[in-house]
Amino acid sequence: MNIDKTLKMNITLVGALCFFLAMFTSAIAGGILNYSAVPHWDAWGLWKQIIVDGQSPTSFTWLWSQHNEHRLVITRILFWLDYTLFSASHVPLILLNYIFALLSCIVFHFYVQSIGEARGWSNKFIFAVSLAISGWLFSLMQWENFYWEFQSQFFLAQLLPFTVFFLLFKSKYGELDVAFWAACVLGVLSAGCMANGVLALPMAFVYLVLAGDSPRKKIIILLLSIVVGTAYFRNYTSPAGHDHLLDALRNRPVEFFNYVTIYLGAPFGYIFKSKLIAIIFGVALIEMAAFFFWKIATQKKPLNARQKINLSLLFFIGYVTVTAVGTAGGRLIFGIDQALSYRYTTPTIMAWSALFVILANNLVLTQINSLKRYAIIGFCVLFVVASLAFQMRVEPKGPIALRKNAALSLVMGVNDASVIRSDLYRDVNVPVEVAFVAKQKGILGFGQYPLKNAMNGVGAKWSNAISNNCIGHMDMIDTIDEDARFFRVQGWIYDNNAKVPPKFMRFVDKDQVIRGYALTGIERDDVAKVVGRGAKKAGFLGYIDRAMLGEWMLAYGDEPGCRLDIGSLFSSKK
């Protein structure tokens, strides 16, 4: 019997380890494959402040200024450090996203370890539970927060309050120990992550009240809550174009309810591809958390260690729930589907993980019948398989290629406002100003291949000895409303010998003068079906001198080198 139990425990531990490694390595691989030094969306605005306007952490006014409803103090410092120490490479910023997720795993492990010590779990079982939770914390449901450089605040806005509640649980009754002061510091820092971070200290105060801790701890946390809250909302301006919480509740209560529950149940909505499933799980999260909270709140006896663990985890779930309510209040105006944004799954994955720890803390498998026990095991196996399946099939929307292709217009000085506005930033002038400085400094991807190869613009001579032919087609030639000097061209190109598309293209006239450039990487499933799987990203977008309409041209691919005669294809504007 002991051998059988040992074998089962070893199988459980190995299975949990394999699950974690599969989720972790695929998340890392995705970050590497989708890396780009070209900024994404809101990062353009922040880079403008740093490299164009010359802002730095020496200006507290800048650090504390609003970004929508947030005060991104920590994010601004991290961006400035990336510019100062790493030439704005985005590598440390993206790496920090993974480090913050890993720190969340460590805090969860400390929770599980505390429960295991109280319940007499073996070290193997403690690590198995921790590894299973950690694997899910690296789910690519939150790929936006992993892959984008401007997302560290999404991890920090959950990690810091989560750690605050854990430290308050670990702090000894009545003592102003290291754990308590660390919780105070992290509570203050939470307000400098995102708007919901300002809730950390007030909720920490309520936690201390319900946990029955000493008055001086409560007073300190309460005073910090008042100071931080007052500072946060002093001169605060509601962002334009957003809804208001009371208006959303009053005018669209059903949509509001759906938004909140979809937000909270989104991880399961993604796994099972259903909004209804998301709503069901969102309601289940609220109901189960409310049930456990009611049991603790109505208890007359002082809380024991296990109940305090539950209470601290429930406060984090409450924190995420209030975040969902606040998000619905401001963003319901953009539609219910916005609740399924990939970046919103980071808080909900952590909230569900917290609920899983609570269930593990309260569940005694030996005290339930075999049918229920196997049902629980079966659900866990199904969940692991479904999570792995999602991890393998998820593909980022708005691929990196579109960002680089849009940046090509900035390198060439083409005022393609519709592409810039669609793939880079809503205010066209911001990327233009940033690119002007970035090209001079060789940063933000403008000093790297392939964008660097287009720095000389059109008109330069091109000498080559490339004889290898590509296959491809010019599918579309569009005028650009804001710039009459160039055409926007789209199509595909593929080296059938190397079985990959070139990364970079030059368009050359009969006199071997460069007349335009293009970048590949755009997905073309239609081409891949005919040519082969290697052509999946053979699509290109680029720009050609408008004077070349109707003229004979060659397209030269780079890495691998090949050429495509497009003279007969470039005869009329579509």
Side-chain angles (χ1 to χ4, degrees):
M1 184 66 178
N2 289 334
I3 296 176
D4 185 47
K5 288 179 66 176
T6 300
L7 179 62
K8 288 179 180 178
M9 185 57 64
N10 288 338
I11 292 173
T12 301
L13 179 59
V14 171
L17 177 61
C18 291
F19 175 65
F20 169 75
L21 290 176
M23 299 291 280
F24 178 74
T25 54
S26 57
I28 294 292
I32 294 172
L33 293 173
N34 290 280
Y35 164 75
S36 175
V38 177
H40 176 78
W41 210 246
D42 284 354
W44 286 101
L46 190 45
W47 282 129
K48 178 183 180 299
Q49 295 169 12
I50 294 171
I51 72 173
V52 178
D53 302 336
Q55 297 286 6
S56 72
T58 57
S59 171
F60 182 76
T61 301
W62 171 63
L63 286 179
W64 196 243
S65 61
Q66 281 183 239
H67 176 90
N68 293 328
E69 67 269 39
H70 312 295
R71 299 190 186 274
L72 304 179
V73 177
I74 297 176
T75 299
R76 287 186 170 117
I77 292 173
L78 293 176
F79 265 70
W80 181 83
L81 288 172
D82 182 34
Y83 172 64
T84 304
L85 302 177
F86 302 99
S87 301
S89 68
H90 291 168
V91 171
L93 296 173
I94 295 171
L95 184 60
L96 281 171
N97 295 339
Y98 290 89
I99 291 174
F100 293 147
L102 193 59
L103 289 175
S104 297
C105 297
I106 292 172
V107 179
F108 267 108
H109 172 70
F110 288 152
Y111 263 117
V112 174
Q113 191 175 48
S114 298
I115 294 171
E117 290 172 354
R119 295 193 54 178
W121 290 350
S122 68
N123 288 332
K124 288 183 179 180
F125 188 68
I126 289 172
F127 277 104
V129 173
S130 297
L131 286 168
I133 293 172
S134 297
W136 204 37
L137 291 175
F138 278 94
S139 171
L140 286 179
M141 293 172 195
Q142 51 192 333
W143 66 263
E144 292 176 340
N145 292 338
F146 281 129
Y147 298 170
W148 294 349
E149 69 278 3
F150 191 74
Q151 298 303 108
S152 59
Q153 65 273 11
F154 260 93
F155 287 105
L156 285 173
Q158 327 313 321
L159 170 61
L160 297 189
F162 182 57
T163 309
V164 166
F165 297 128
F166 174 74
L167 290 171
L168 290 179
F169 153 69
K170 294 298 288 185
S171 178
K172 295 180 180 178
Y173 175 85
E175 292 188 17
L176 304 181
D177 50 16
V178 174
F180 173 76
W181 289 118
C184 292
V185 172
L186 295 182
V188 173
L189 291 177
S190 297
C193 298
M194 296 179 72
N196 57 335
V198 79
L199 296 169
L201 287 170
M203 293 189 71
F205 168 75
V206 180
Y207 168 80
L208 291 176
V209 171
L210 292 179
D213 215 314
S214 65
R216 59 178 181 169
K217 280 187 176 180
K218 299 172 192 173
I219 292 172
I220 292 171
I221 292 290
L222 179 60
L223 290 175
L224 284 175
S225 301
I226 294 171
V227 171
V228 171
T230 300
Y232 194 94
F233 291 106
R234 185 173 181 269
N235 299 323
Y236 178 88
T237 303
S238 296
H242 288 58
D243 212 343
H244 294 281
L245 177 61
L246 294 179
D247 290 340
L249 273 170
R250 181 170 53 251
N251 299 327
R252 290 179 288 175
V254 175
E255 291 91 339
F256 186 91
F257 171 83
N258 289 339
Y259 190 105
V260 171
T261 51
I262 289 173
Y263 182 108
L264 294 174
F268 296 93
Y270 277 127
I271 289 175
F272 299 108
K273 302 179 182 180
S274 169
K275 286 183 188 175
L276 178 60
I277 293 295
I279 291 174
I280 291 172
F281 273 89
V283 172
L285 177 67
I286 295 171
E287 289 184 343
M288 285 189 284
F291 168 76
F292 283 112
F293 183 79
W294 177 254
K295 284 184 65 177
I296 292 173
T298 56
Q299 180 177 294
K300 295 181 180 180
K301 297 180 180 179
L303 303 183
N304 57 37
R306 283 176 55 192
Q307 290 169 330
K308 287 182 179 179
I309 290 173
N310 284 353
L311 185 62
S312 63
L313 289 166
L314 286 169
F315 264 84
F316 177 71
I317 295 173
Y319 171 84
V320 173
T321 303
V322 175
T323 297
V325 170
T327 304
R331 287 175 167 77
L332 181 59
I333 193 172
F334 302 121
I336 291 177
D337 286 346
Q338 214 256 353
L340 283 171
S341 298
Y342 288 98
R343 61 189 178 276
Y344 289 168
T345 57
T346 293
T348 51
I349 286 174
M350 290 184 66
W352 276 101
S353 298
L355 182 64
F356 178 78
V357 174
I358 292 172
L359 291 172
N361 190 19
N362 287 268
L363 188 64
V364 182
L365 288 176
T366 57
Q367 294 180 3
I368 60 177
N369 60 49
S370 297
L371 181 62
K372 290 182 179 179
R373 184 161 59 249
Y374 286 123
I376 292 170
I377 295 172
F379 176 81
C380 291
V381 172
L382 174 64
F383 174 74
V384 166
V385 172
S387 296
L388 288 171
F390 181 89
Q391 193 85 341
M392 297 303 110
R393 73 171 186 264
V394 65
E395 290 189 12
K397 296 179 180 178
I400 302 300
L402 295 179
R403 214 190 305 178
K404 289 184 177 179
N405 284 320
L408 178 63
S409 69
L410 299 175
V411 174
M412 296 178 63
V414 181
N415 185 18
D416 193 355
S418 61
V419 168
I420 295 172
R421 193 177 293 115
S422 171
D423 298 328
L424 292 182
Y425 194 60
R426 55 185 172 268
D427 184 348
V428 175
N429 293 323
V430 172
V432 170
E433 290 182 51
V434 172
F436 180 78
V437 178
K439 284 189 289 184
Q440 295 176 340
K441 295 179 177 291
I443 60 176
L444 297 178
F446 292 97
Q448 301 172 4
Y449 179 85
L451 291 177
K452 185 178 181 179
N453 288 36
M455 285 289 189
N456 294 330
V458 299
K461 268 283 191 180
W462 172 248
S463 59
N464 68 88
I466 298 175
S467 58
N468 179 39
N469 289 321
C470 298
I471 58 174
H473 191 267
M474 183 81 77
D475 296 334
M476 189 176 296
I477 307 168
D478 291 327
T479 58
I480 302 171
D481 293 338
E482 298 83 3
D483 199 328
R485 300 170 301 158
F486 293 90
F487 284 119
R488 184 193 310 119
V489 296
Q490 297 180 65
W492 63 275
I493 186 171
Y494 184 67
D495 187 330
N496 211 16
N497 294 319
K499 302 301 181 184
V500 292
K503 295 180 180 178
F504 179 72
M505 297 170 63
R506 296 175 178 86
F507 297 104
V508 179
D509 66 12
K510 58 183 175 54
D511 297 319
Q512 292 297 96
V513 176
I514 297 174
R515 295 297 186 176
Y517 299 96
L519 294 177
T520 60
I522 297 174
E523 293 191 1
R524 291 292 300 265
D525 290 329
D526 57 332
V527 175
K529 287 179 181 178
V530 177
V531 177
R533 290 167 55 187
K536 183 179 176 69
K537 295 187 177 182
F540 67 77
L541 183 148
Y543 301 93
I544 296 179
D545 188 342
R546 188 163 181 159
M548 296 308 297
L549 181 63
E551 299 294 328
W552 177 89
M553 298 190 72
L554 277 174
Y556 284 97
D558 191 52
E559 290 194 12
C562 62
R563 67 180 187 177
L564 173 68
D565 186 345
I566 61 172
S568 61
L569 303 176
F570 197 59
S571 57
S572 62
K573 178 171 74 69
K574 297 182 181 180

